[in-house]
PDB file of all heavy atoms in Angstrom:
ATOM      1  N   PHE A  38      -3.553   1.573  -3.978  1.00  0.00           N
ATOM      2  CA  PHE A  38      -2.973   0.233  -4.012  1.00  0.00           C
ATOM      3  C   PHE A  38      -1.553   0.270  -4.577  1.00  0.00           C
ATOM      4  O   PHE A  38      -0.640  -0.323  -4.004  1.00  0.00           O
ATOM      5  CB  PHE A  38      -3.857  -0.698  -4.844  1.00  0.00           C
ATOM      6  CG  PHE A  38      -3.308  -2.094  -4.967  1.00  0.00           C
ATOM      7  CD1 PHE A  38      -3.431  -2.986  -3.927  1.00  0.00           C
ATOM      8  CD2 PHE A  38      -2.663  -2.492  -6.125  1.00  0.00           C
ATOM      9  CE1 PHE A  38      -2.926  -4.264  -4.015  1.00  0.00           C
ATOM     10  CE2 PHE A  38      -2.149  -3.769  -6.236  1.00  0.00           C
ATOM     11  CZ  PHE A  38      -2.282  -4.654  -5.191  1.00  0.00           C
ATOM     12  N   LEU A  39      -1.361   0.949  -5.701  1.00  0.00           N
ATOM     13  CA  LEU A  39      -0.032   1.000  -6.323  1.00  0.00           C
ATOM     14  C   LEU A  39       0.987   1.716  -5.442  1.00  0.00           C
ATOM     15  O   LEU A  39       2.108   1.238  -5.259  1.00  0.00           O
ATOM     16  CB  LEU A  39      -0.111   1.677  -7.685  1.00  0.00           C
ATOM     17  CG  LEU A  39      -0.775   0.867  -8.791  1.00  0.00           C
ATOM     18  CD1 LEU A  39      -0.790   1.660 -10.094  1.00  0.00           C
ATOM     19  CD2 LEU A  39      -0.095  -0.459  -8.989  1.00  0.00           C
ATOM     20  N   VAL A  40       0.595   2.868  -4.883  1.00  0.00           N
ATOM     21  CA  VAL A  40       1.513   3.617  -4.013  1.00  0.00           C
ATOM     22  C   VAL A  40       1.819   2.803  -2.759  1.00  0.00           C
ATOM     23  O   VAL A  40       2.973   2.717  -2.319  1.00  0.00           O
ATOM     24  CB  VAL A  40       0.925   4.999  -3.666  1.00  0.00           C
ATOM     25  CG1 VAL A  40       1.748   5.687  -2.600  1.00  0.00           C
ATOM     26  CG2 VAL A  40       0.844   5.863  -4.909  1.00  0.00           C
ATOM     27  N   GLY A  41       0.795   2.176  -2.183  1.00  0.00           N
ATOM     28  CA  GLY A  41       1.002   1.353  -0.996  1.00  0.00           C
ATOM     29  C   GLY A  41       1.904   0.174  -1.270  1.00  0.00           C
ATOM     30  O   GLY A  41       2.791  -0.151  -0.473  1.00  0.00           O
ATOM     31  N   LEU A  42       1.711  -0.468  -2.410  1.00  0.00           N
ATOM     32  CA  LEU A  42       2.550  -1.603  -2.765  1.00  0.00           C
ATOM     33  C   LEU A  42       3.997  -1.168  -2.967  1.00  0.00           C
ATOM     34  O   LEU A  42       4.931  -1.848  -2.520  1.00  0.00           O
ATOM     35  CB  LEU A  42       2.008  -2.269  -4.030  1.00  0.00           C
ATOM     36  CG  LEU A  42       2.543  -3.644  -4.370  1.00  0.00           C
ATOM     37  CD1 LEU A  42       2.194  -4.641  -3.276  1.00  0.00           C
ATOM     38  CD2 LEU A  42       1.972  -4.098  -5.698  1.00  0.00           C
ATOM     39  N   ALA A  43       4.195  -0.013  -3.604  1.00  0.00           N
ATOM     40  CA  ALA A  43       5.556   0.497  -3.815  1.00  0.00           C
ATOM     41  C   ALA A  43       6.223   0.831  -2.477  1.00  0.00           C
ATOM     42  O   ALA A  43       7.397   0.490  -2.252  1.00  0.00           O
ATOM     43  CB  ALA A  43       5.522   1.723  -4.716  1.00  0.00           C
ATOM     44  N   LEU A  44       5.491   1.495  -1.581  1.00  0.00           N
ATOM     45  CA  LEU A  44       6.052   1.822  -0.269  1.00  0.00           C
ATOM     46  C   LEU A  44       6.386   0.560   0.520  1.00  0.00           C
ATOM     47  O   LEU A  44       7.449   0.456   1.142  1.00  0.00           O
ATOM     48  CB  LEU A  44       5.070   2.686   0.527  1.00  0.00           C
ATOM     49  CG  LEU A  44       5.025   4.159   0.201  1.00  0.00           C
ATOM     50  CD1 LEU A  44       3.855   4.820   0.932  1.00  0.00           C
ATOM     51  CD2 LEU A  44       6.319   4.830   0.579  1.00  0.00           C
ATOM     52  N   PHE A  45       5.477  -0.398   0.506  1.00  0.00           N
ATOM     53  CA  PHE A  45       5.690  -1.634   1.252  1.00  0.00           C
ATOM     54  C   PHE A  45       6.917  -2.379   0.714  1.00  0.00           C
ATOM     55  O   PHE A  45       7.782  -2.815   1.485  1.00  0.00           O
ATOM     56  CB  PHE A  45       4.448  -2.528   1.176  1.00  0.00           C
ATOM     57  CG  PHE A  45       4.583  -3.807   1.937  1.00  0.00           C
ATOM     58  CD1 PHE A  45       4.531  -3.807   3.324  1.00  0.00           C
ATOM     59  CD2 PHE A  45       4.764  -5.006   1.283  1.00  0.00           C
ATOM     60  CE1 PHE A  45       4.668  -4.984   4.039  1.00  0.00           C
ATOM     61  CE2 PHE A  45       4.899  -6.183   1.984  1.00  0.00           C
ATOM     62  CZ  PHE A  45       4.850  -6.175   3.364  1.00  0.00           C
ATOM     63  N   CYS A  46       6.999  -2.511  -0.601  1.00  0.00           N
ATOM     64  CA  CYS A  46       8.142  -3.219  -1.199  1.00  0.00           C
ATOM     65  C   CYS A  46       9.448  -2.474  -0.918  1.00  0.00           C
ATOM     66  O   CYS A  46      10.473  -3.105  -0.626  1.00  0.00           O
ATOM     67  CB  CYS A  46       7.933  -3.390  -2.700  1.00  0.00           C
ATOM     68  SG  CYS A  46       6.640  -4.579  -3.094  1.00  0.00           S
ATOM     69  N   GLY A  47       9.423  -1.147  -0.993  1.00  0.00           N
ATOM     70  CA  GLY A  47      10.622  -0.369  -0.685  1.00  0.00           C
ATOM     71  C   GLY A  47      11.052  -0.541   0.761  1.00  0.00           C
ATOM     72  O   GLY A  47      12.244  -0.697   1.050  1.00  0.00           O
ATOM     73  N   GLY A  48      10.102  -0.500   1.688  1.00  0.00           N
ATOM     74  CA  GLY A  48      10.423  -0.683   3.099  1.00  0.00           C
ATOM     75  C   GLY A  48      10.969  -2.065   3.396  1.00  0.00           C
ATOM     76  O   GLY A  48      11.967  -2.217   4.112  1.00  0.00           O
ATOM     77  N   ILE A  49      10.348  -3.085   2.840  1.00  0.00           N
ATOM     78  CA  ILE A  49      10.821  -4.454   3.049  1.00  0.00           C
ATOM     79  C   ILE A  49      12.208  -4.632   2.436  1.00  0.00           C
ATOM     80  O   ILE A  49      13.080  -5.285   3.018  1.00  0.00           O
ATOM     81  CB  ILE A  49       9.813  -5.476   2.465  1.00  0.00           C
ATOM     82  CG1 ILE A  49       8.517  -5.444   3.263  1.00  0.00           C
ATOM     83  CG2 ILE A  49      10.394  -6.873   2.431  1.00  0.00           C
ATOM     84  CD1 ILE A  49       8.655  -5.827   4.714  1.00  0.00           C
TER      85      ILE A  49
END
Side-chain angles (χ1 to χ4, degrees):
F38 178 78
L39 288 180
V40 171
L42 194 62
L44 280 171
F45 181 74
C46 289
I49 293 298

